[in-house]
Amino acid sequence: MKAICAGGGVGGLAAGIALALRGHDVHVLEQAPALTEIGAGLQISPNGWRVLAALGVAELLEPVIFAPEAIEMRVGQSGARIFRLPLRETAQARWGAPYVHVHRADLVAALLARLDAVAPGALKTGHSLTGFRHVEGGVEVVLADADSLRADLLVGADGIHSAIRAQLLGPDQPRYTGNVAWRAVVPLSVLGDVAPPPTACVWVGHGRHAVTTRVRGGEMANFVGMVETPAPAPEGWRTKGSAADALHEFAGWDPTITAVIEKAEVLNRWALFDRAPLPRWSEGRVTLLGDAAHPMMPSLAQGAVQALEDAWVLAASLDAAETVEAGLQAYAARRLPRTARVQRVSAANARLFHKASTLGRWAFYGPMALAARLAPDLLHRRQDWVYGYDPTAAV
């Protein structure tokens, strides 16, 4: 089968590998002239690591990942720890795979290296896709230069503003979530004693929260700050903000947070958008994957992981079906309920992290702090449905 994946991000590359491993002729079309180092840190939970291992990518990432010691929650302004849950050993023992941090550029590089190994030359940059046409026995992909390509399958992994999604379901606009995000990556060597802890740490506050992690083998601190803002900022990972604005939005916060902002050479700031769960993902031999199908808030750290899950389940569903159309329907039926739940919980987490009053925060966080001390298993159990899921055994 000839398969075209539109989009050379995490989802498109992973889908290309998963399909190529099953013997299909894969072409990954990316509109950018080259895959450049954009984005920042990602958290890959055990459910995503299982896919990377099955794709043969995990071993390529070993030199650049960081396994956090624990999950922590702290008060943003004071830095006081609300709770700490062990993670490094727990992830392997409880969920059967590690929980790691990785820079997005390192993940994309590893996915691309693996794709080149199993399907040399599959990635084609500078190819902007504008639409498709159903044709007998397949699909015809239309490119921006008016050229066209025939295929047996088209996978739309072209992001939240997906041209393929728009043609499948009609034009619409993503919803502004009321939040903007800040991102930065800073070498630990310049932060000294105020470097973030070697954990996955959520810092909570009034109308905003931050997450600190470590990437590049633990040598870099990764910062994500989410702030409730009535008017959206420009979209896009490349949109730059100023340190003065970031410091204003996190004024009075713990020195760990303000130091990362002050030392960052580049601070990116953009609006966060999502969409309600779609009624369907597929039509004929065309389907959606990743943000094109289910954009979500970053508050559960599952955006990239859900794209990895999609990629594996898509390829496995096609492999198990009599026809491409039946495979795509099975894929969507397996994935839509799970990704819709992740979308809902991600949005709910953002609201919980932004509790307005001190009383409201401690009414929610107090029992969590107590449970972390007396019954940590109860808190880990809340994540079993996410981290304990094995996409490679789902079909």
Side-chain angles (χ1 to χ4, degrees), residues 203-218:
W203 307 72
V204 296
H206 179 195
R208 66 211 64 220
H209 78 278
V211 176
T212 55
T213 57
R214 295 188 180 186
V215 296
R216 295 268 155 94

Side-chain angles (χ1 to χ4, degrees), residues 127-147:
H127 284 61
S128 180
L129 185 152
T130 60
F132 63 87
R133 291 186 287 265
H134 296 292
V135 296
E136 186 174 354
V139 61
E140 188 173 58
V141 173
V142 182
L143 303 177
D145 62 3
D147 199 1

Side-chain angles (χ1 to χ4, degrees), residues 134-175:
H134 296 292
V135 296
E136 186 174 354
V139 61
E140 188 173 58
V141 173
V142 182
L143 303 177
D145 62 3
D147 199 1
S148 63
L149 300 170
R150 288 283 297 265
D152 302 295
L153 168 69
L154 172 60
V155 180
D158 49 342
I160 191 169
H161 294 291
S162 167
I164 296 171
R165 182 207 52 75
Q167 186 171 340
L168 279 177
L169 296 162
D172 69 348
Q173 292 296 319
R175 304 177 302 192

Side-chain angles (χ1 to χ4, degrees), residues 208-285:
R208 66 211 64 220
H209 78 278
V211 176
T212 55
T213 57
R214 295 188 180 186
V215 296
R216 295 268 155 94
E219 295 181 358
M220 307 281 284
N222 181 70
F223 162 78
V224 180
M226 189 187 302
V227 182
E228 293 177 11
T229 306
E235 277 191 88
W237 289 349
R238 299 177 188 273
T239 304
K240 292 181 179 172
S242 74
D245 288 340
L247 288 169
H248 174 74
E249 294 190 334
F250 289 93
W253 274 47
D254 186 86
T256 293
I257 300 301
T258 55
V260 170
I261 295 171
E262 289 169 346
K263 298 292 185 180
E265 290 188 7
V266 177
L267 277 161
N268 293 110
R269 179 182 185 267
W270 69 94
L272 294 174
F273 290 81
D274 69 1
R275 278 192 169 89
L278 299 176
R280 60 187 176 88
W281 289 5
S282 303
E283 179 181 285
R285 294 186 172 212

Side-chain angles (χ1 to χ4, degrees), residues 29-51:
L29 307 184
E30 167 57 40
Q31 66 178 351
L35 294 185
T36 56
E37 184 167 310
I38 60 172
L42 297 174
Q43 300 189 53
I44 305 295
S45 49
N47 45 315
W49 189 259
R50 289 189 183 93
V51 176

Side-chain angles (χ1 to χ4, degrees), residues 63-66 185-190 214-221:
V64 293
I65 58 174
F66 179 79
V185 180
V186 181
L188 259 67
S189 59
V190 305
R214 295 188 180 186
V215 296
R216 295 268 155 94
E219 295 181 358
M220 307 281 284

